Amino acid sequence: MAAQFNYDGSLLTFLYTAEDRIKPGRLWNVLNREFQAKVEMRQIGPRDVAKLLGGYGACGELRCCSTFLTDFSPISIKMAKAQGISLNPSEITGMCGRLRCCLVFEYEQYVAA
């Protein structure tokens, strides 16, 4: 879970993750009474969690999602095949448990070559 205030402090956004879709109504009520800002609860996915946590990817560089990727494009196994990467899950899976983000931005260069 993470929390972010907007610039003027009038909005407090809580980011959280959960396996299933949940309704944080009771928690929202408690937080709304506790803080003098409007409270927003936003459920985020595993890629967003990895972006918030930062750290290093399997390649040894800082994670793409926390450095320069601004949005998450759809990623497919087809991209790994086109790049000649083994379809071994440990080689194509990122720290978030999803297909590696780098498969997207390297895919175009492989297709062009």
Side-chain angles (χ1 to χ4, degrees):
M1 184 176 224
Q4 302 172 338
F5 268 112
N6 67 343
Y7 183 70
D8 66 358
S10 64
L11 176 67
L12 175 59
T13 304
F14 286 93
L15 307 173
Y16 67 93
T17 184
E19 293 281 326
D20 299 317
R21 193 88 173 130
I22 64 169
K23 296 180 183 177
R26 288 184 7 201
L27 176 60
W28 180 83
N29 288 334
V30 171
L31 293 172
N32 216 17
R33 277 180 269 151
E34 192 69 31
F35 296 100
Q36 294 180 359
K38 179 183 175 194
V39 174
E40 181 180 287
M41 302 288 291
R42 187 178 306 155
Q43 186 171 355
I44 59 175
R47 291 185 191 273
D48 295 308
V49 172
K51 182 176 185 164
L52 283 172
L53 293 175
Y56 292 90
C59 61
E61 296 293 326
L62 290 172
R63 288 184 187 161
C64 304
C65 60
S66 61
T67 54
F68 63 88
L69 287 182
T70 56
D71 62 337
F72 299 114
S73 303
I75 304 169
S76 69
I77 295 291
K78 174 184 167 186
M79 294 175 178
K81 287 181 183 178
Q83 296 174 48
I85 299 172
S86 167
L87 298 182
N88 182 348
S90 65
E91 292 185 28
I92 59 173
T93 304
M95 301 295 181
C96 60
R98 309 283 186 185
L99 290 174
R100 287 187 185 170
C101 293
C102 60
L103 293 175
V104 172
F105 64 86
E106 292 176 354
Y107 176 70
E108 294 174 14
Q109 283 77 19
Y110 276 89
V111 170

